[in-house]
Amino acid sequence: MSPVQRHLIIHGTVQGVGYRWSMAQAAEALGVRGWVRNRRDGTVEAVFAGDAKAVEDTIAACRKGSYAARVDGIEARDGRAEELALRGDKDRFAVLPTV
């Protein structure tokens, strides 16, 4: 499959419950690059890049989240190259500080 990039905003109980860590674990296991961070409005923001199936599988894992998380909704759109370059190591998945 061809490479894709997706930009996500995740709503629900997704901060302080290990959600970013669980996203990073799923992304790394599937070979997806990008980053995840908390936002001050209580949402979590993420950018995933990689093989289309791996990215979609990572998004599916995001819908479940960590054991203590509750995902109410995910806004997803096609990402842009500058979003991936915005933060983190382009060859790995990074957990970033809150913005």
Side-chain angles (χ1 to χ4, degrees):
M1 290 200 150
S2 61
V4 299
Q5 186 167 310
R6 301 285 284 168
H7 179 256
L8 285 74
I9 304 293
I10 300 97
H11 300 268
T13 305
V14 291
Q15 290 191 13
V17 292
Y19 187 80
R20 289 180 301 158
W21 180 85
S22 70
M23 285 180 68
Q25 294 297 306
E28 295 242 350
L30 292 164
V32 171
R33 297 172 294 117
W35 51 265
V36 61
R37 64 184 175 191
N38 287 338
R39 294 178 4 157
R40 284 189 172 78
D41 66 1
T43 62
V44 168
E45 179 179 24
V47 172
F48 298 139
D51 174 77
K53 179 164 178 14
V55 168
E56 289 306 315
D57 288 349
T58 305
I59 293 171
C62 290
R63 294 185 194 292
K64 182 178 178 184
S66 65
Y67 73 93
R70 187 191 78 239
V71 177
D72 293 335
I74 296 177
E75 298 172 44
R77 64 176 172 81
D78 289 339
R80 299 182 309 262
E82 61 270 16
E83 291 168 337
L84 183 59
L86 178 66
R87 302 271 193 272
D89 181 343
K90 291 182 185 181
D91 295 324
R92 294 187 42 97
F93 195 84
V95 176
L96 304 176
T98 301
V99 295

